[in-house]
Short mmCIF file of all heavy atoms in Angstrom, two decimals:
data_model
loop_
_atom_site.label_atom_id
_atom_site.label_comp_id
_atom_site.label_asym_id
_atom_site.label_seq_id
_atom_site.Cartn_x
_atom_site.Cartn_y
_atom_site.Cartn_z
N THR A 1 121.73 118.39 127.25
CA THR A 1 122.57 117.24 126.94
C THR A 1 122.09 116.00 127.67
O THR A 1 122.04 114.90 127.12
CB THR A 1 124.03 117.55 127.31
OG1 THR A 1 124.47 118.70 126.58
CG2 THR A 1 124.93 116.39 126.98
N ALA A 2 121.72 116.17 128.93
CA ALA A 2 121.21 115.04 129.72
C ALA A 2 119.91 114.51 129.12
O ALA A 2 119.68 113.30 129.08
CB ALA A 2 121.00 115.47 131.16
N ARG A 3 119.06 115.41 128.64
CA ARG A 3 117.78 115.00 128.04
C ARG A 3 118.03 114.11 126.83
O ARG A 3 117.30 113.14 126.60
CB ARG A 3 116.99 116.25 127.62
CG ARG A 3 115.76 115.96 126.77
CD ARG A 3 115.13 117.24 126.25
NE ARG A 3 114.46 117.94 127.32
CZ ARG A 3 113.21 117.72 127.70
NH1 ARG A 3 112.50 116.79 127.10
NH2 ARG A 3 112.67 118.41 128.67
N ARG A 4 119.06 114.44 126.03
CA ARG A 4 119.30 113.72 124.79
C ARG A 4 120.20 112.50 124.95
O ARG A 4 120.29 111.68 124.05
CB ARG A 4 119.90 114.67 123.75
CG ARG A 4 118.90 115.71 123.25
CD ARG A 4 119.50 116.59 122.21
NE ARG A 4 120.50 117.50 122.74
CZ ARG A 4 120.23 118.65 123.32
NH1 ARG A 4 118.99 119.04 123.46
NH2 ARG A 4 121.20 119.42 123.77
N ALA A 5 120.89 112.38 126.08
CA ALA A 5 121.82 111.26 126.28
C ALA A 5 121.06 109.93 126.23
O ALA A 5 120.07 109.74 126.93
CB ALA A 5 122.55 111.41 127.60
N GLU A 6 121.53 109.04 125.37
CA GLU A 6 120.94 107.70 125.24
C GLU A 6 119.41 107.77 125.15
O GLU A 6 118.67 107.05 125.84
CB GLU A 6 121.38 106.82 126.41
CG GLU A 6 122.90 106.61 126.45
CD GLU A 6 123.35 105.64 127.53
OE1 GLU A 6 122.60 105.44 128.51
OE2 GLU A 6 124.44 105.07 127.38
N TRP A 7 118.95 108.66 124.25
CA TRP A 7 117.51 108.87 124.08
C TRP A 7 116.77 107.59 123.66
O TRP A 7 115.56 107.48 123.83
CB TRP A 7 117.27 109.95 123.02
CG TRP A 7 117.91 109.64 121.70
CD1 TRP A 7 119.13 110.05 121.26
CD2 TRP A 7 117.39 108.79 120.66
NE1 TRP A 7 119.40 109.54 120.01
CE2 TRP A 7 118.35 108.76 119.62
CE3 TRP A 7 116.20 108.07 120.51
CZ2 TRP A 7 118.16 108.03 118.45
CZ3 TRP A 7 116.01 107.34 119.34
CH2 TRP A 7 116.99 107.32 118.32
N TRP A 8 117.52 106.62 123.14
CA TRP A 8 116.93 105.39 122.62
C TRP A 8 116.66 104.34 123.69
O TRP A 8 116.04 103.31 123.40
CB TRP A 8 117.91 104.78 121.60
CG TRP A 8 119.32 104.78 122.11
CD1 TRP A 8 120.27 105.73 121.90
CD2 TRP A 8 119.90 103.83 123.00
NE1 TRP A 8 121.43 105.44 122.57
CE2 TRP A 8 121.23 104.25 123.26
CE3 TRP A 8 119.46 102.65 123.59
CZ2 TRP A 8 122.11 103.56 124.09
CZ3 TRP A 8 120.33 101.94 124.42
CH2 TRP A 8 121.63 102.41 124.65
N ARG A 9 117.12 104.59 124.90
CA ARG A 9 116.92 103.59 125.96
C ARG A 9 115.42 103.30 126.13
O ARG A 9 114.59 104.22 126.06
CB ARG A 9 117.50 104.06 127.27
CG ARG A 9 119.03 104.16 127.28
CD ARG A 9 119.53 104.69 128.62
NE ARG A 9 119.21 103.76 129.67
CZ ARG A 9 120.01 102.74 130.05
NH1 ARG A 9 121.18 102.56 129.45
NH2 ARG A 9 119.66 101.93 131.02
N PRO A 10 115.05 102.03 126.36
CA PRO A 10 113.62 101.70 126.45
C PRO A 10 112.85 102.54 127.45
O PRO A 10 111.71 102.95 127.18
CB PRO A 10 113.64 100.21 126.85
CG PRO A 10 114.92 99.70 126.29
CD PRO A 10 115.90 100.83 126.42
N ASP A 11 113.44 102.84 128.61
CA ASP A 11 112.71 103.62 129.61
C ASP A 11 112.49 105.05 129.14
O ASP A 11 111.44 105.65 129.40
CB ASP A 11 113.45 103.59 130.95
CG ASP A 11 114.88 104.11 130.87
OD1 ASP A 11 115.50 104.00 129.78
OD2 ASP A 11 115.39 104.62 131.89
N ARG A 12 113.47 105.60 128.43
CA ARG A 12 113.31 106.97 127.96
C ARG A 12 112.38 107.05 126.76
O ARG A 12 111.60 108.00 126.62
CB ARG A 12 114.69 107.56 127.63
CG ARG A 12 115.55 107.69 128.88
CD ARG A 12 116.88 108.33 128.64
NE ARG A 12 117.64 108.38 129.89
CZ ARG A 12 118.86 108.87 130.01
NH1 ARG A 12 119.48 109.36 128.95
NH2 ARG A 12 119.47 108.88 131.18
N LEU A 13 112.47 106.08 125.88
CA LEU A 13 111.55 106.05 124.74
C LEU A 13 110.12 105.86 125.22
O LEU A 13 109.17 106.45 124.66
CB LEU A 13 111.96 104.93 123.79
CG LEU A 13 111.14 104.79 122.50
CD1 LEU A 13 111.15 106.09 121.71
CD2 LEU A 13 111.67 103.64 121.66
N ALA A 14 109.94 105.08 126.28
CA ALA A 14 108.59 104.83 126.79
C ALA A 14 107.91 106.11 127.23
O ALA A 14 106.68 106.23 127.12
CB ALA A 14 108.65 103.84 127.96
N THR A 15 108.68 107.09 127.73
CA THR A 15 108.06 108.34 128.18
C THR A 15 107.50 109.15 127.02
O THR A 15 106.68 110.03 127.23
CB THR A 15 109.07 109.21 128.96
OG1 THR A 15 110.12 109.62 128.07
CG2 THR A 15 109.65 108.45 130.14
N ARG A 16 107.95 108.84 125.78
CA ARG A 16 107.48 109.59 124.61
C ARG A 16 106.47 108.80 123.78
O ARG A 16 105.92 109.34 122.81
CB ARG A 16 108.67 109.97 123.71
CG ARG A 16 109.77 110.75 124.40
CD ARG A 16 110.67 111.47 123.39
NE ARG A 16 111.25 110.62 122.39
CZ ARG A 16 112.30 109.80 122.58
NH1 ARG A 16 112.85 109.74 123.79
NH2 ARG A 16 112.79 109.06 121.61
N ARG A 17 106.26 107.54 124.13
CA ARG A 17 105.46 106.68 123.26
C ARG A 17 104.04 107.21 123.04
O ARG A 17 103.51 107.14 121.92
CB ARG A 17 105.42 105.26 123.82
CG ARG A 17 106.72 104.48 123.66
CD ARG A 17 106.97 104.08 122.22
NE ARG A 17 105.97 103.11 121.75
CZ ARG A 17 106.07 101.81 121.93
NH1 ARG A 17 107.12 101.28 122.56
NH2 ARG A 17 105.13 101.00 121.47
N ALA A 18 103.41 107.72 124.06
CA ALA A 18 102.04 108.24 123.90
C ALA A 18 102.03 109.43 122.95
O ALA A 18 101.16 109.54 122.08
CB ALA A 18 101.47 108.64 125.25
N ASN A 19 103.00 110.34 123.11
CA ASN A 19 103.07 111.49 122.21
C ASN A 19 103.36 111.06 120.78
O ASN A 19 102.82 111.64 119.82
CB ASN A 19 104.18 112.45 122.68
CG ASN A 19 103.84 113.14 123.99
OD1 ASN A 19 102.68 113.20 124.38
ND2 ASN A 19 104.86 113.65 124.66
N LEU A 20 104.21 110.05 120.61
CA LEU A 20 104.56 109.61 119.27
C LEU A 20 103.39 108.89 118.60
O LEU A 20 103.19 109.01 117.39
CB LEU A 20 105.79 108.71 119.33
CG LEU A 20 107.06 109.43 119.82
CD1 LEU A 20 108.19 108.43 120.02
CD2 LEU A 20 107.48 110.54 118.86
N ALA A 21 102.61 108.15 119.40
CA ALA A 21 101.40 107.54 118.85
C ALA A 21 100.43 108.63 118.39
O ALA A 21 99.83 108.54 117.32
CB ALA A 21 100.75 106.64 119.90
N ALA A 22 100.29 109.68 119.20
CA ALA A 22 99.43 110.80 118.82
C ALA A 22 99.97 111.49 117.57
O ALA A 22 99.20 111.91 116.70
CB ALA A 22 99.32 111.79 119.97
N ARG A 23 101.30 111.61 117.47
CA ARG A 23 101.91 112.22 116.29
C ARG A 23 101.47 111.49 115.02
O ARG A 23 101.15 112.11 114.00
CB ARG A 23 103.44 112.19 116.43
CG ARG A 23 104.19 112.88 115.30
CD ARG A 23 105.69 112.71 115.42
NE ARG A 23 106.39 113.42 114.36
CZ ARG A 23 107.02 114.58 114.50
NH1 ARG A 23 107.08 115.15 115.69
NH2 ARG A 23 107.62 115.14 113.46
N GLY A 24 101.46 110.15 115.08
CA GLY A 24 101.03 109.38 113.93
C GLY A 24 99.58 109.64 113.56
O GLY A 24 99.23 109.76 112.38
N ARG A 25 98.71 109.73 114.58
CA ARG A 25 97.29 110.00 114.30
C ARG A 25 97.11 111.40 113.73
O ARG A 25 96.29 111.63 112.84
CB ARG A 25 96.47 109.83 115.59
CG ARG A 25 96.43 108.40 116.12
CD ARG A 25 95.38 108.25 117.21
NE ARG A 25 95.64 109.10 118.37
CZ ARG A 25 96.40 108.74 119.40
NH1 ARG A 25 96.99 107.56 119.41
NH2 ARG A 25 96.57 109.54 120.43
N ILE A 26 97.89 112.36 114.25
CA ILE A 26 97.80 113.74 113.76
C ILE A 26 98.24 113.81 112.30
O ILE A 26 97.60 114.47 111.47
CB ILE A 26 98.65 114.67 114.65
CG1 ILE A 26 98.00 114.80 116.03
CG2 ILE A 26 98.82 116.04 114.02
CD1 ILE A 26 98.91 115.40 117.09
N LEU A 27 99.32 113.12 111.96
CA LEU A 27 99.79 113.11 110.58
C LEU A 27 98.75 112.49 109.66
O LEU A 27 98.51 112.97 108.55
CB LEU A 27 101.12 112.36 110.48
CG LEU A 27 101.71 112.24 109.07
CD1 LEU A 27 101.87 113.61 108.41
CD2 LEU A 27 103.06 111.53 109.12
N ALA A 28 98.10 111.42 110.11
CA ALA A 28 97.05 110.80 109.30
C ALA A 28 95.90 111.78 109.07
O ALA A 28 95.35 111.88 107.96
CB ALA A 28 96.54 109.53 109.98
N ALA A 29 95.56 112.55 110.11
CA ALA A 29 94.49 113.54 109.97
C ALA A 29 94.89 114.64 108.99
O ALA A 29 94.06 115.13 108.21
CB ALA A 29 94.16 114.14 111.33
#
């Protein structure tokens, strides 16, 4: 629950940004 609380906050989203960028490249591949 703590992991998902306010998942949209800039600091929390920033921790996933590298993985999400990679997700986009993987989908393109």
Side-chain angles (χ1 to χ4, degrees):
T1 301
R3 170 187 287 274
R4 290 182 290 277
E6 298 185 338
W7 56 265
W8 46 266
R9 292 178 64 89
D11 57 332
R12 295 183 181 179
L13 183 56
T15 66
R16 304 198 305 282
R17 287 288 294 274
N19 291 341
L20 296 173
R23 184 185 182 104
R25 294 192 299 272
I26 291 165
L27 178 55

